[in-house]
Amino acid sequence: MIADNMLGLVKNSSVIRAMFEEGNRLAKIHGAENVYDFSLGNPNVPAPAEVGTAIQEILDEEKSTYVHGYMSNAGYEDVRKTIAQSINQKFDTTFDATNIVMTVGAAGGLNVILKTLLNPGDEVITFAPFFGEYRGYTANYQGILVVVAPNTVDFQPNLTEFALKITKKTKAVIVNNPNNPTGVVYSKETVKKMAAILEEKQKEFGTDIYIVSDEPYRELVYDGVDVPYLTKYYKNTIVGYSYSKSLSLPGERIGYLVIPDEAADSEDIKAGASVATRILGFVNAPSLMQRVVAKCVDAKCDVEAYNRNRELLYNGLIDLGFECVKPQGAFYLFVKSPTEDEKVFCDIAKKYNVLIVPGSAFGCTGYVRIVYCVSYDTIKNSLPKFAEIAKELGVTK
Ligand code: PLP
């Protein structure tokens, strides 16, 4: 018999993953070209050519060395140094190798930092809508996830409610910018206000409250929008970065944490993050991929392809009468459901082989998430299906 807790987790397992499996099942029945799977944020844009070249070069160059060996739990020192220098160049910061811990993607990084920071019963605040896996990651360390209700006007965080939800038990605030599932980018003004609230609350309670900035979509932004680098606005910030989306490498599981020296107890956090990497069973981030990303610090995937998809899907749905805040980043649209219960919308869409994810998976009912990291043709061919769905739901312009 598996653990009681795990029985519950299996039962409530990720809706998104279930949709993805459903998409595969439908594709076998109807043919992949007749299924419009908008469920999983799996990048369709290929990894930049530099990635393949780097793999080849590393395998050739390092034949006689331990490219596949263990290294310190935080990762190869030269790789961490290269990454720190690249961050410094881009954001005018002053990090070095000691501030970087290589991780098994953003998911690994979030688990490492929450394991490092949380005592049982500590509270972790996040803003709805949010990446649903935060629930599991927080519960892994007996933390309590406290959710700030969504601001559905523009999906910037609701800072008035945020201030009210901070308590003596608040240990961390997970901020995801650009945001999954809305694609909204939190502005500099928002970040400054958030930092001011946190400074005040730290003083009031005599505690340290850490922002954990979850940034897998940092490079996927449109219209030249700026994504503030949070360590510059709030000293107790730990950044979690991933190459899953920026270099289209989600299956390779590679990312890093940035732990600034200015953060309270930073030496303990660095040491804790190394130990957490080891005892969570990661031991270290994938060795070959560490070397690859160090060679590809300036590589970029084809963001313009996502931008074309964004314009096509957003304009197509707006023309049909759907409502949605135009995303400035990531590769998701968060569309208002024409039915009060968005699961009805998802079920009707499924009749047309269109797979979309209910907002309840992100703590925001009444909305659905539609990914646009799919081929342009998939979006183009899905629009007549969305037209039929709109008709069935009585949506008009
Ligand atoms: N955080 C957010 C907001 C995400 O959307 C995802 C993946 O979709 C992750 C973390 C996990 O990413 P990774 O593949 O780097 O573990």
Side-chain angles (χ1 to χ4, degrees):
M1 175 88 161
I2 64 169
D4 299 344
N5 179 38
M6 187 47 75
L7 280 174
L9 290 172
V10 171
K11 197 160 157 241
N12 299 316
S13 184
S14 168
V15 179
I16 301 171
R17 282 280 160 179
M19 282 279 186
F20 180 62
E21 301 304 339
E22 179 66 3
N24 289 339
R25 190 185 72 81
L26 289 174
K28 277 192 196 130
I29 300 171
H30 304 286
E33 69 286 5
N34 298 313
V35 176
Y36 308 94
D37 186 351
F38 297 106
S39 62
L40 188 69
N42 208 4
N44 71 305
V45 165
E50 289 97 315
V51 169
T53 310
I55 293 173
Q56 205 62 61
E57 280 174 9
I58 294 160
L59 294 180
D60 289 345
E61 275 167 23
E62 308 210 11
K63 251 185 232 148
S64 58
T65 64
Y66 271 128
V67 66
H68 305 299
Y70 291 129
M71 78 301 300
S72 71
N73 300 122
Y76 286 117
E77 190 170 348
D78 57 329
V79 168
R80 291 152 60 211
K81 189 170 166 199
T82 304
I83 288 174
Q85 284 169 346
S86 157
I87 298 171
N88 293 344
Q89 226 167 40
K90 285 179 191 150
F91 307 113
D92 196 21
T93 47
T94 54
F95 301 124
D96 64 31
T98 64
N99 299 112
I100 309 292
V101 175
M102 300 306 294
T103 65
V104 177
L110 288 168
N111 273 277
V112 162
I113 198 61
L114 292 175
K115 171 113 183 132
T116 303
L117 293 178
L118 296 187
N119 284 312
D122 279 352
E123 293 170 3
V124 176
I125 299 183
T126 200
F127 301 93
F130 63 94
F131 181 52
E133 299 294 82
Y134 296 161
R135 296 185 185 102
Y137 300 164
T138 305
N140 281 344
Y141 313 103
Q142 288 83 52
I144 295 165
L145 191 69
V146 175
V147 177
V148 175
N151 154 22
T152 53
V153 177
D154 57 8
F155 288 111
Q156 292 285 321
N158 177 342
L159 294 180
T160 311
E161 187 180 320
F162 172 56
L164 295 173
K165 288 205 154 149
I166 301 170
T167 73
K168 219 176 159 37
K169 283 255 165 212
T170 305
K171 182 55 89 58
V173 179
I174 306 180
V175 175
N176 171 216
N177 200 23
N179 182 264
N180 172 10
T182 62
V184 163
V185 174
Y186 298 169
S187 64
K188 205 184 277 183
E189 287 64 42
T190 299
V191 168
K192 279 186 181 163
K193 281 186 204 153
M194 192 184 291
I197 292 168
L198 283 169
E199 297 287 2
E200 200 178 295
K201 292 288 176 184
Q202 288 190 133
K203 260 192 219 135
E204 182 184 337
F205 295 124
T207 52
D208 293 313
I209 306 173
Y210 296 91
I211 287 184
V212 175
S213 187
D214 181 22
E215 306 192 346
Y217 302 98
R218 167 164 284 282
E219 273 77 31
L220 306 191
V221 285
Y222 315 107
D223 308 329
V225 70
D226 180 49
V227 184
Y229 205 74
L230 264 65
T231 62
K232 301 181 77 165
Y233 298 89
Y234 183 66
K235 76 181 180 64
N236 285 342
T237 296
I238 289 148
V239 176
Y241 183 81
S242 163
Y243 295 92
S244 291
K245 320 286 173 167
S246 61
L247 293 185
S248 296
L249 294 174
E252 303 296 350
R253 316 304 305 131
I254 185 75
Y256 60 80
L257 289 170
V258 183
I259 304 167
D261 290 337
E262 296 75 33
D265 298 319
S266 78
E267 290 311 311
D268 286 346
I269 297 175
K270 289 177 198 173
S274 275
V275 172
T277 298
R278 194 184 85 232
I279 66 177
L280 284 172
F282 300 128
V283 181
N284 55 253
S287 134
L288 173 60
M289 282 303 133
Q290 290 191 41
R291 294 244 171 264
V292 169
V293 297
K295 277 188 178 263
C296 296
V297 276
D298 295 320
K300 288 187 175 61
C301 75
D302 183 6
V303 178
E304 190 43 38
Y306 292 132
N307 191 26
R308 283 194 296 275
N309 287 357
R310 175 183 76 131
E311 295 292 349
L312 180 65
L313 187 61
Y314 174 79
N315 292 329
L317 294 183
I318 295 296
D319 284 348
L320 290 170
F322 288 102
E323 288 175 46
C324 174
V325 172
K326 190 168 188 183
Q328 292 177 296
F331 38 46
Y332 308 106
L333 291 190
F334 205 53
V335 178
K336 192 166 169 29
S337 172
T339 54
E340 199 182 323
D341 179 355
E342 81 276 9
K343 290 186 185 127
V344 174
F345 181 19
C346 296
D347 286 342
I348 289 174
K350 205 165 111 182
K351 286 201 311 190
Y352 296 89
N353 287 342
V354 173
L355 299 181
I356 55 182
V357 180
S360 54
F362 308 95
C364 184
T365 56
Y367 287 78
V368 298
R369 189 190 77 171
I370 308 180
V371 310
Y372 56 83
C373 50
V374 296
S375 77
Y376 191 82
D377 280 349
T378 299
I379 297 173
K380 201 167 87 186
N381 297 335
S382 74
L383 289 176
K385 300 287 171 195
F386 276 112
E388 289 183 67
I389 296 164
K391 202 164 153 209
E392 186 165 337
L393 288 167
V395 174
T396 49
K397 182 101 200 215

